[in-house]
Amino acid sequence: MADKVQKRYLFPADYMADPSVHVFDGKLYIYPSHDWESGIPEDDFGSHFDMKDYHVLSLEGPDPMTSPVKDHGVVLRREDVLWGGRQLWDCDVARRDGKYYLYFPMKDKTDIFRFGVAVSDSPTGPFVPLPDPMRGSYSIDVCVLEDEGEHYFYFGGIWGGQLQRYRDNKALDTGSTFPADDEPAIPPRVARLRGDMLQFAEAPRPLVILDAEGKPLTAGDNHRRFFEASWVHKYNGKYYFSYSTGDTHHLCYAIGDNPYGPFTYQGELLTPVVGWTTHHCIVEYGGKWWLFHHDSVPSGGRTWLRSLKVCELRYNPDGTIRTVEGLDE
Ligand code: FUB
């Protein structure tokens, strides 16, 4: 049974999606994708998500449900990225030694998703991109977890996110290959970042999600298996990996004992919203936990024009998350 909770549309002035949220020096910053009406027809590759820049938003007060939200304007443009082609999708920002690193997926000039890094002295940018993508990077949807002095980079997304084109970090000669329904699902990936934050410190590893019997979720289990939208947070010493199931539209989560996993599937944290995609992040702020996500209600269901939302997230005494109802009525 899902909880019906009060939600707030955070930024009605524009269409934004895929929120990554961090609290730096006590202030809450939102790093979203910036949707717009490109006119590109909808397809299974996500061509209609043709985003061309990023903005940074900040919360100007203590309460995500009521405090004003400030737009700091454009902080990175498609044309600033020398190696890039199109589609600036879900980004994230991390801080180390007073510098801020914006990680973003973008298709290169051959239409292959890579990750870029852009650097700033401020959490509100502007961010200056490096001339080349991160070495060995592929696919989409980044989340960076800072944990005990290290930074862990989680990524991946199937279908339009191209993760099915890779095995053991190498592009398959055969192109896209999906496992059979009874085989383990395609896993998201995790890699520790180097101390300079600009490259992976190690080859990306598969992040395995297990069922209650300790078996990896299978590719045919599409109400539970990973599709895209990784996020990791820590609660009471445990690591929570949350993600979207894509074509079945659930936001789910799994719990592990360390940043690499394995993680054991727990359940749904947000039921399907209006719009094909569902994408979120979870953050503690002001002594409460918050779920930031998006839906397509304000655009009348146009799935490529999404709006940012927030609501409180509650835990049960045993550390499981109470499911939030995605529809408001
Ligand atoms: O915003 C483009 C894509 O839609 C994201 O990368 C996915 O997670 C989905 O929200």
Side-chain angles (χ1 to χ4, degrees):
M1 190 64 181
D3 292 344
K4 282 193 178 283
V5 302
Q6 203 193 347
K7 304 199 190 85
R8 173 194 185 189
Y9 281 106
L10 277 162
F11 195 62
D14 206 346
Y15 294 118
M16 300 206 183
D18 306 332
S20 294
V21 171
H22 293 279
V23 179
F24 295 125
D25 299 324
K27 192 166 173 113
L28 185 145
Y29 298 92
I30 307 168
Y31 301 96
S33 306
H34 185 197
D35 287 354
W36 70 296
E37 183 55 271
S38 66
I40 295 179
E42 219 173 322
D43 63 25
D44 280 351
F45 304 108
S47 306
H48 44 303
F49 299 110
D50 190 36
M51 294 82 103
K52 53 192 168 76
D53 61 27
Y54 292 112
H55 285 231
V56 175
L57 308 177
S58 63
L59 190 72
E60 300 298 296
D63 186 356
M65 296 302 288
T66 56
S67 297
V69 172
K70 180 173 174 184
D71 180 7
H72 296 270
V74 175
V75 297
L76 183 73
R77 289 185 172 78
R78 181 167 62 186
E79 53 270 28
D80 299 336
V81 183
L82 293 179
W83 57 268
R86 60 182 180 136
Q87 295 183 293
L88 289 170
W89 285 11
D90 164 55
C91 69
D92 198 6
V93 167
R95 174 170 70 175
R96 185 163 196 152
D97 299 332
K99 290 217 178 292
Y100 296 82
Y101 299 87
L102 172 73
Y103 300 96
F104 59 95
M106 184 179 195
K107 281 182 180 161
D108 67 14
K109 296 186 195 310
T110 65
D111 248 10
I112 300 297
F113 270 114
R114 309 275 178 212
F115 283 100
V117 192
V119 187
S120 177
D121 292 328
S122 162
T124 56
F127 290 88
V128 179
L130 266 65
D132 297 299
M134 294 172 75
R135 283 193 293 282
S137 67
Y138 55 92
S139 196
I140 60 161
D141 281 8
V142 49
C143 159
V144 179
L145 172 75
E146 181 181 0
D147 186 44
E148 297 180 5
E150 300 287 355
H151 289 81
Y152 298 90
F153 189 106
Y154 298 84
F155 67 96
I158 60 173
W159 293 23
Q162 303 180 345
L163 192 57
Q164 68 278 3
R165 297 182 178 195
Y166 298 85
R167 293 290 186 279
D168 301 325
N169 300 319
K170 293 194 182 65
L172 295 167
D173 293 336
T174 47
S176 293
T177 305
F178 289 93
D181 279 0
D182 60 351
E183 289 178 348
I186 295 173
R189 311 289 205 266
V190 51
R192 192 166 49 82
L193 285 170
R194 241 169 40 182
D196 67 4
M197 301 291 275
L198 303 179
Q199 304 288 348
F200 297 145
E202 59 187 0
R205 311 179 189 191
L207 185 156
V208 178
I209 305 172
L210 304 171
D211 65 14
E213 280 77 51
K215 295 199 193 85
L217 296 184
T218 56
D221 188 357
N222 66 341
H223 284 274
R224 298 194 301 173
R225 64 88 175 92
F226 172 81
F227 188 102
E228 62 187 4
S230 299
W231 186 259
V232 180
H233 73 280
K234 268 178 100 173
Y235 178 76
N236 284 348
K238 296 278 187 194
Y239 296 78
Y240 286 62
F241 177 77
S242 45
Y243 58 96
S244 164
T245 63
D247 56 338
T248 50
H249 319 291
H250 309 281
L251 281 181
C252 295
Y253 72 104
I255 297 180
D257 291 325
N258 70 75
Y260 293 111
F263 292 82
T264 302
Y265 180 86
Q266 302 294 320
E268 193 177 24
L269 65 90
L270 182 72
T271 66
V273 297
V274 171
W276 199 96
T277 68
T278 186
H279 192 127
H280 71 300
C281 67
I282 296 169
V283 144
E284 188 179 20
Y285 181 67
K288 292 182 176 175
W289 285 88
W290 301 96
L291 173 68
F292 291 79
H293 71 104
H294 67 229
D295 72 19
S296 295
V297 170
S299 71
R302 283 174 291 169
T303 205
W304 59 96
L305 295 177
R306 300 161 293 178
S307 295
L308 295 175
K309 288 178 103 169
V310 65
C311 65
E312 196 180 338
L313 190 75
R314 293 199 168 88
Y315 297 85
N316 293 308
D318 64 359
T320 55
I321 293 176
R322 294 185 65 85
T323 309
V324 173
E325 170 60 52
L327 302 177
D328 288 338
E329 287 155 24

mmCIF file of all heavy atoms in Angstrom, residues 29-67:
data_model
loop_
_atom_site.group_PDB
_atom_site.id
_atom_site.type_symbol
_atom_site.label_atom_id
_atom_site.label_comp_id
_atom_site.label_asym_id
_atom_site.label_seq_id
_atom_site.Cartn_x
_atom_site.Cartn_y
_atom_site.Cartn_z
ATOM 1 N N TYR A 29 21.291 22.314 -3.421
ATOM 2 C CA TYR A 29 21.401 22.615 -4.855
ATOM 3 C C TYR A 29 20.772 21.486 -5.668
ATOM 4 O O TYR A 29 20.939 20.306 -5.350
ATOM 5 C CB TYR A 29 22.869 22.762 -5.262
ATOM 6 C CG TYR A 29 23.552 23.907 -4.559
ATOM 7 C CD1 TYR A 29 24.230 23.692 -3.359
ATOM 8 C CD2 TYR A 29 23.501 25.201 -5.075
ATOM 9 C CE1 TYR A 29 24.841 24.744 -2.691
ATOM 10 C CE2 TYR A 29 24.109 26.255 -4.402
ATOM 11 C CZ TYR A 29 24.775 26.026 -3.217
ATOM 12 O OH TYR A 29 25.374 27.061 -2.560
ATOM 13 N N ILE A 30 20.082 21.866 -6.738
ATOM 14 C CA ILE A 30 19.428 20.893 -7.619
ATOM 15 C C ILE A 30 20.104 20.972 -8.986
ATOM 16 O O ILE A 30 20.223 22.062 -9.564
ATOM 17 C CB ILE A 30 17.923 21.194 -7.758
ATOM 18 C CG1 ILE A 30 17.280 21.308 -6.375
ATOM 19 C CG2 ILE A 30 17.232 20.122 -8.608
ATOM 20 C CD1 ILE A 30 15.863 21.878 -6.402
ATOM 21 N N TYR A 31 20.529 19.797 -9.492
ATOM 22 C CA TYR A 31 21.173 19.701 -10.801
ATOM 23 C C TYR A 31 20.264 18.854 -11.699
ATOM 24 O O TYR A 31 20.336 17.629 -11.670
ATOM 25 C CB TYR A 31 22.567 19.081 -10.658
ATOM 26 C CG TYR A 31 23.457 19.900 -9.750
ATOM 27 C CD1 TYR A 31 23.594 19.572 -8.401
ATOM 28 C CD2 TYR A 31 24.113 21.027 -10.229
ATOM 29 C CE1 TYR A 31 24.380 20.343 -7.549
ATOM 30 C CE2 TYR A 31 24.901 21.809 -9.388
ATOM 31 C CZ TYR A 31 25.031 21.462 -8.051
ATOM 32 O OH TYR A 31 25.802 22.234 -7.217
ATOM 33 N N PRO A 32 19.394 19.490 -12.461
ATOM 34 C CA PRO A 32 18.429 18.739 -13.280
ATOM 35 C C PRO A 32 18.844 18.687 -14.758
ATOM 36 O O PRO A 32 19.742 19.413 -15.195
ATOM 37 C CB PRO A 32 17.163 19.580 -13.136
ATOM 38 C CG PRO A 32 17.673 20.988 -12.967
ATOM 39 C CD PRO A 32 19.065 20.925 -12.407
ATOM 40 N N SER A 33 18.151 17.847 -15.519
ATOM 41 C CA SER A 33 18.178 17.970 -16.988
ATOM 42 C C SER A 33 17.208 19.099 -17.351
ATOM 43 O O SER A 33 16.274 19.396 -16.610
ATOM 44 C CB SER A 33 17.684 16.683 -17.652
ATOM 45 O OG SER A 33 18.404 15.566 -17.200
ATOM 46 N N HIS A 34 17.418 19.695 -18.516
ATOM 47 C CA HIS A 34 16.578 20.824 -18.929
ATOM 48 C C HIS A 34 15.793 20.457 -20.193
ATOM 49 O O HIS A 34 16.307 20.539 -21.311
ATOM 50 C CB HIS A 34 17.459 22.056 -19.188
ATOM 51 C CG HIS A 34 16.672 23.287 -19.494
ATOM 52 N ND1 HIS A 34 17.216 24.400 -20.077
ATOM 53 C CD2 HIS A 34 15.356 23.577 -19.308
ATOM 54 C CE1 HIS A 34 16.288 25.324 -20.238
ATOM 55 N NE2 HIS A 34 15.148 24.841 -19.783
ATOM 56 N N ASP A 35 14.540 20.054 -19.995
ATOM 57 C CA ASP A 35 13.693 19.646 -21.120
ATOM 58 C C ASP A 35 13.248 20.852 -21.944
ATOM 59 O O ASP A 35 13.108 21.959 -21.414
ATOM 60 C CB ASP A 35 12.442 18.930 -20.590
ATOM 61 C CG ASP A 35 12.748 17.536 -20.072
ATOM 62 O OD1 ASP A 35 13.894 17.071 -20.226
ATOM 63 O OD2 ASP A 35 11.832 16.908 -19.497
ATOM 64 N N TRP A 36 13.015 20.614 -23.223
ATOM 65 C CA TRP A 36 12.435 21.658 -24.071
ATOM 66 C C TRP A 36 11.727 20.989 -25.247
ATOM 67 O O TRP A 36 11.900 19.797 -25.499
ATOM 68 C CB TRP A 36 13.489 22.657 -24.549
ATOM 69 C CG TRP A 36 14.473 22.107 -25.553
ATOM 70 C CD1 TRP A 36 15.383 21.107 -25.331
ATOM 71 C CD2 TRP A 36 14.623 22.501 -26.912
ATOM 72 N NE1 TRP A 36 16.104 20.857 -26.453
ATOM 73 C CE2 TRP A 36 15.664 21.709 -27.459
ATOM 74 C CE3 TRP A 36 14.017 23.454 -27.731
ATOM 75 C CZ2 TRP A 36 16.083 21.837 -28.783
ATOM 76 C CZ3 TRP A 36 14.457 23.572 -29.045
ATOM 77 C CH2 TRP A 36 15.461 22.781 -29.554
ATOM 78 N N GLU A 37 10.917 21.776 -25.930
ATOM 79 C CA GLU A 37 10.116 21.257 -27.047
ATOM 80 C C GLU A 37 10.958 21.313 -28.324
ATOM 81 O O GLU A 37 11.012 22.330 -29.003
ATOM 82 C CB GLU A 37 8.841 22.101 -27.187
ATOM 83 C CG GLU A 37 7.881 21.628 -28.250
ATOM 84 C CD GLU A 37 7.473 20.175 -28.068
ATOM 85 O OE1 GLU A 37 8.171 19.294 -28.614
ATOM 86 O OE2 GLU A 37 6.454 19.920 -27.409
ATOM 87 N N SER A 38 11.671 20.216 -28.613
ATOM 88 C CA SER A 38 12.556 20.204 -29.779
ATOM 89 C C SER A 38 11.803 19.844 -31.056
ATOM 90 O O SER A 38 12.317 20.050 -32.155
ATOM 91 C CB SER A 38 13.676 19.184 -29.574
ATOM 92 O OG SER A 38 13.117 17.884 -29.538
ATOM 93 N N GLY A 39 10.628 19.244 -30.907
ATOM 94 C CA GLY A 39 9.870 18.805 -32.085
ATOM 95 C C GLY A 39 10.337 17.465 -32.629
ATOM 96 O O GLY A 39 9.807 16.974 -33.629
ATOM 97 N N ILE A 40 11.331 16.847 -31.986
ATOM 98 C CA ILE A 40 11.838 15.544 -32.464
ATOM 99 C C ILE A 40 10.847 14.449 -32.057
ATOM 100 O O ILE A 40 10.472 14.359 -30.884
ATOM 101 C CB ILE A 40 13.243 15.273 -31.904
ATOM 102 C CG1 ILE A 40 14.200 16.317 -32.487
ATOM 103 C CG2 ILE A 40 13.708 13.858 -32.193
ATOM 104 C CD1 ILE A 40 15.617 16.227 -32.022
ATOM 105 N N PRO A 41 10.422 13.610 -33.025
ATOM 106 C CA PRO A 41 9.413 12.588 -32.698
ATOM 107 C C PRO A 41 9.909 11.579 -31.661
ATOM 108 O O PRO A 41 11.103 11.285 -31.598
ATOM 109 C CB PRO A 41 9.146 11.896 -34.042
ATOM 110 C CG PRO A 41 9.755 12.762 -35.076
ATOM 111 C CD PRO A 41 10.797 13.604 -34.436
ATOM 112 N N GLU A 42 8.936 11.061 -30.882
ATOM 113 C CA GLU A 42 9.232 10.086 -29.837
ATOM 114 C C GLU A 42 9.683 8.757 -30.445
ATOM 115 O O GLU A 42 9.068 8.299 -31.417
ATOM 116 C CB GLU A 42 7.926 9.847 -29.061
ATOM 117 C CG GLU A 42 8.096 9.710 -27.599
ATOM 118 C CD GLU A 42 6.750 9.644 -26.885
ATOM 119 O OE1 GLU A 42 5.804 10.357 -27.277
ATOM 120 O OE2 GLU A 42 6.668 8.867 -25.956
ATOM 121 N N ASP A 43 10.745 8.134 -29.880
ATOM 122 C CA ASP A 43 11.122 6.784 -30.298
ATOM 123 C C ASP A 43 11.740 6.034 -29.117
ATOM 124 O O ASP A 43 11.934 6.614 -28.041
ATOM 125 C CB ASP A 43 12.072 6.810 -31.508
ATOM 126 C CG ASP A 43 13.399 7.491 -31.201
ATOM 127 O OD1 ASP A 43 13.800 7.511 -30.026
ATOM 128 O OD2 ASP A 43 14.028 8.008 -32.134
ATOM 129 N N ASP A 44 12.070 4.737 -29.307
ATOM 130 C CA ASP A 44 12.612 3.919 -28.215
ATOM 131 C C ASP A 44 14.062 4.270 -27.868
ATOM 132 O O ASP A 44 14.611 3.761 -26.886
ATOM 133 C CB ASP A 44 12.541 2.426 -28.573
ATOM 134 C CG ASP A 44 11.141 1.867 -28.349
ATOM 135 O OD1 ASP A 44 10.303 2.580 -27.766
ATOM 136 O OD2 ASP A 44 10.897 0.718 -28.769
ATOM 137 N N PHE A 45 14.701 5.097 -28.692
ATOM 138 C CA PHE A 45 16.075 5.529 -28.381
ATOM 139 C C PHE A 45 16.085 6.804 -27.543
ATOM 140 O O PHE A 45 17.148 7.298 -27.184
ATOM 141 C CB PHE A 45 16.872 5.780 -29.671
ATOM 142 C CG PHE A 45 16.898 4.586 -30.576
ATOM 143 C CD1 PHE A 45 16.171 4.574 -31.751
ATOM 144 C CD2 PHE A 45 17.634 3.462 -30.234
ATOM 145 C CE1 PHE A 45 16.173 3.466 -32.574
ATOM 146 C CE2 PHE A 45 17.647 2.353 -31.050
ATOM 147 C CZ PHE A 45 16.909 2.341 -32.222
ATOM 148 N N GLY A 46 14.914 7.395 -27.297
ATOM 149 C CA GLY A 46 14.856 8.628 -26.509
ATOM 150 C C GLY A 46 15.295 9.851 -27.288
ATOM 151 O O GLY A 46 15.741 10.844 -26.694
ATOM 152 N N SER A 47 15.156 9.815 -28.621
ATOM 153 C CA SER A 47 15.599 10.963 -29.441
ATOM 154 C C SER A 47 14.860 12.240 -29.085
ATOM 155 O O SER A 47 15.356 13.347 -29.305
ATOM 156 C CB SER A 47 15.376 10.666 -30.928
ATOM 157 O OG SER A 47 16.000 9.466 -31.276
ATOM 158 N N HIS A 48 13.645 12.096 -28.537
ATOM 159 C CA HIS A 48 12.835 13.260 -28.174
ATOM 160 C C HIS A 48 13.385 13.989 -26.944
ATOM 161 O O HIS A 48 12.964 15.100 -26.662
ATOM 162 C CB HIS A 48 11.370 12.853 -27.952
ATOM 163 C CG HIS A 48 11.182 11.588 -27.153
ATOM 164 N ND1 HIS A 48 11.724 10.375 -27.511
ATOM 165 C CD2 HIS A 48 10.505 11.360 -26.007
ATOM 166 C CE1 HIS A 48 11.392 9.449 -26.626
ATOM 167 N NE2 HIS A 48 10.663 10.018 -25.703
ATOM 168 N N PHE A 49 14.325 13.351 -26.225
ATOM 169 C CA PHE A 49 14.993 14.035 -25.098
ATOM 170 C C PHE A 49 16.268 14.678 -25.647
ATOM 171 O O PHE A 49 17.360 14.138 -25.504
ATOM 172 C CB PHE A 49 15.319 13.039 -23.982
ATOM 173 C CG PHE A 49 14.101 12.368 -23.399
ATOM 174 C CD1 PHE A 49 13.845 11.022 -23.618
ATOM 175 C CD2 PHE A 49 13.197 13.090 -22.616
ATOM 176 C CE1 PHE A 49 12.728 10.408 -23.079
ATOM 177 C CE2 PHE A 49 12.073 12.478 -22.067
ATOM 178 C CZ PHE A 49 11.837 11.134 -22.305
ATOM 179 N N ASP A 50 16.102 15.810 -26.306
ATOM 180 C CA ASP A 50 17.225 16.424 -27.040
ATOM 181 C C ASP A 50 17.762 17.646 -26.290
ATOM 182 O O ASP A 50 17.914 18.729 -26.869
ATOM 183 C CB ASP A 50 16.752 16.807 -28.449
ATOM 184 C CG ASP A 50 17.927 17.203 -29.312
ATOM 185 O OD1 ASP A 50 19.014 16.609 -29.160
ATOM 186 O OD2 ASP A 50 17.775 18.132 -30.137
ATOM 187 N N MET A 51 18.068 17.452 -25.030
ATOM 188 C CA MET A 51 18.420 18.607 -24.193
ATOM 189 C C MET A 51 19.749 19.233 -24.615
ATOM 190 O O MET A 51 20.693 18.534 -24.967
ATOM 191 C CB MET A 51 18.483 18.186 -22.724
ATOM 192 C CG MET A 51 17.113 17.786 -22.189
ATOM 193 S SD MET A 51 16.712 16.094 -22.624
ATOM 194 C CE MET A 51 17.025 15.289 -21.089
ATOM 195 N N LYS A 52 19.791 20.573 -24.509
ATOM 196 C CA LYS A 52 20.963 21.298 -25.031
ATOM 197 C C LYS A 52 21.688 22.149 -23.998
ATOM 198 O O LYS A 52 22.701 22.780 -24.340
ATOM 199 C CB LYS A 52 20.543 22.155 -26.226
ATOM 200 C CG LYS A 52 19.364 23.080 -25.969
ATOM 201 C CD LYS A 52 18.845 23.664 -27.283
ATOM 202 C CE LYS A 52 17.521 24.356 -27.139
ATOM 203 N NZ LYS A 52 17.443 25.634 -26.555
ATOM 204 N N ASP A 53 21.231 22.185 -22.774
ATOM 205 C CA ASP A 53 21.993 22.888 -21.735
ATOM 206 C C ASP A 53 21.579 22.394 -20.349
ATOM 207 O O ASP A 53 20.625 21.629 -20.212
ATOM 208 C CB ASP A 53 21.838 24.421 -21.841
ATOM 209 C CG ASP A 53 20.395 24.891 -21.674
ATOM 210 O OD1 ASP A 53 19.598 24.205 -20.996
ATOM 211 O OD2 ASP A 53 20.053 25.958 -22.224
ATOM 212 N N TYR A 54 22.357 22.850 -19.343
ATOM 213 C CA TYR A 54 22.005 22.590 -17.945
ATOM 214 C C TYR A 54 21.858 23.906 -17.197
ATOM 215 O O TYR A 54 22.632 24.841 -17.429
ATOM 216 C CB TYR A 54 23.110 21.793 -17.234
ATOM 217 C CG TYR A 54 23.283 20.373 -17.699
ATOM 218 C CD1 TYR A 54 24.436 19.993 -18.382
ATOM 219 C CD2 TYR A 54 22.326 19.412 -17.441
ATOM 220 C CE1 TYR A 54 24.623 18.675 -18.796
ATOM 221 C CE2 TYR A 54 22.494 18.093 -17.852
ATOM 222 C CZ TYR A 54 23.651 17.737 -18.535
ATOM 223 O OH TYR A 54 23.819 16.445 -18.932
ATOM 224 N N HIS A 55 20.914 23.936 -16.268
ATOM 225 C CA HIS A 55 20.793 25.009 -15.289
ATOM 226 C C HIS A 55 21.114 24.431 -13.907
ATOM 227 O O HIS A 55 21.023 23.217 -13.704
ATOM 228 C CB HIS A 55 19.356 25.537 -15.214
ATOM 229 C CG HIS A 55 18.932 26.393 -16.353
ATOM 230 N ND1 HIS A 55 18.349 27.628 -16.182
ATOM 231 C CD2 HIS A 55 19.011 26.193 -17.695
ATOM 232 C CE1 HIS A 55 18.070 28.157 -17.353
ATOM 233 N NE2 HIS A 55 18.453 27.306 -18.299
ATOM 234 N N VAL A 56 21.423 25.320 -12.948
ATOM 235 C CA VAL A 56 21.492 24.927 -11.537
ATOM 236 C C VAL A 56 20.406 25.694 -10.787
ATOM 237 O O VAL A 56 20.218 26.901 -11.016
ATOM 238 C CB VAL A 56 22.867 25.265 -10.931
ATOM 239 C CG1 VAL A 56 22.876 24.962 -9.431
ATOM 240 C CG2 VAL A 56 23.976 24.482 -11.624
ATOM 241 N N LEU A 57 19.705 24.989 -9.900
ATOM 242 C CA LEU A 57 18.712 25.620 -9.031
ATOM 243 C C LEU A 57 19.189 25.505 -7.582
ATOM 244 O O LEU A 57 19.906 24.553 -7.238
ATOM 245 C CB LEU A 57 17.353 24.920 -9.157
ATOM 246 C CG LEU A 57 16.785 24.725 -10.569
ATOM 247 C CD1 LEU A 57 15.470 23.937 -10.490
ATOM 248 C CD2 LEU A 57 16.555 26.066 -11.247
ATOM 249 N N SER A 58 18.779 26.449 -6.742
ATOM 250 C CA SER A 58 19.069 26.299 -5.312
ATOM 251 C C SER A 58 17.825 26.628 -4.505
ATOM 252 O O SER A 58 16.966 27.412 -4.942
ATOM 253 C CB SER A 58 20.233 27.192 -4.886
ATOM 254 O OG SER A 58 19.902 28.547 -5.057
ATOM 255 N N LEU A 59 17.755 26.006 -3.342
ATOM 256 C CA LEU A 59 16.628 26.248 -2.432
ATOM 257 C C LEU A 59 17.020 27.399 -1.515
ATOM 258 O O LEU A 59 18.039 27.328 -0.823
ATOM 259 C CB LEU A 59 16.362 24.981 -1.621
ATOM 260 C CG LEU A 59 15.083 24.975 -0.808
ATOM 261 C CD1 LEU A 59 13.868 24.845 -1.721
ATOM 262 C CD2 LEU A 59 15.105 23.816 0.194
ATOM 263 N N GLU A 60 16.205 28.431 -1.503
ATOM 264 C CA GLU A 60 16.542 29.643 -0.748
ATOM 265 C C GLU A 60 15.834 29.650 0.602
ATOM 266 O O GLU A 60 15.113 30.600 0.939
ATOM 267 C CB GLU A 60 16.169 30.889 -1.569
ATOM 268 C CG GLU A 60 16.897 30.971 -2.898
ATOM 269 C CD GLU A 60 18.410 31.065 -2.726
ATOM 270 O OE1 GLU A 60 18.887 32.066 -2.165
ATOM 271 O OE2 GLU A 60 19.106 30.126 -3.161
ATOM 272 N N GLY A 61 16.017 28.593 1.371
ATOM 273 C CA GLY A 61 15.379 28.521 2.682
ATOM 274 C C GLY A 61 15.417 27.105 3.208
ATOM 275 O O GLY A 61 15.954 26.201 2.551
ATOM 276 N N PRO A 62 14.822 26.882 4.374
ATOM 277 C CA PRO A 62 14.993 25.592 5.060
ATOM 278 C C PRO A 62 14.014 24.493 4.659
ATOM 279 O O PRO A 62 14.226 23.343 4.996
ATOM 280 C CB PRO A 62 14.769 25.965 6.529
ATOM 281 C CG PRO A 62 13.820 27.122 6.484
ATOM 282 C CD PRO A 62 14.126 27.874 5.223
ATOM 283 N N ASP A 63 12.949 24.831 3.933
ATOM 284 C CA ASP A 63 11.887 23.840 3.736
ATOM 285 C C ASP A 63 11.650 23.559 2.248
ATOM 286 O O ASP A 63 11.121 24.407 1.524
ATOM 287 C CB ASP A 63 10.587 24.361 4.377
ATOM 288 C CG ASP A 63 9.484 23.316 4.337
ATOM 289 O OD1 ASP A 63 9.695 22.237 3.752
ATOM 290 O OD2 ASP A 63 8.405 23.591 4.890
ATOM 291 N N PRO A 64 12.022 22.366 1.761
ATOM 292 C CA PRO A 64 11.816 22.056 0.341
ATOM 293 C C PRO A 64 10.351 22.191 -0.105
ATOM 294 O O PRO A 64 10.088 22.378 -1.296
ATOM 295 C CB PRO A 64 12.290 20.607 0.218
ATOM 296 C CG PRO A 64 13.272 20.440 1.329
ATOM 297 C CD PRO A 64 12.736 21.290 2.468
ATOM 298 N N MET A 65 9.400 22.110 0.841
ATOM 299 C CA MET A 65 7.988 22.182 0.464
ATOM 300 C C MET A 65 7.502 23.605 0.245
ATOM 301 O O MET A 65 6.456 23.832 -0.368
ATOM 302 C CB MET A 65 7.118 21.510 1.524
ATOM 303 C CG MET A 65 7.350 20.019 1.681
ATOM 304 S SD MET A 65 7.094 19.082 0.168
ATOM 305 C CE MET A 65 5.320 19.146 0.018
ATOM 306 N N THR A 66 8.243 24.597 0.796
ATOM 307 C CA THR A 66 7.737 25.977 0.711
ATOM 308 C C THR A 66 8.785 27.023 0.320
ATOM 309 O O THR A 66 8.425 28.087 -0.185
ATOM 310 C CB THR A 66 7.142 26.425 2.070
ATOM 311 O OG1 THR A 66 8.158 26.250 3.067
ATOM 312 C CG2 THR A 66 5.913 25.616 2.446
ATOM 313 N N SER A 67 10.057 26.773 0.547
ATOM 314 C CA SER A 67 11.067 27.826 0.339
ATOM 315 C C SER A 67 11.215 28.144 -1.145
ATOM 316 O O SER A 67 11.067 27.265 -2.003
ATOM 317 C CB SER A 67 12.422 27.380 0.892
ATOM 318 O OG SER A 67 12.327 27.184 2.275
#
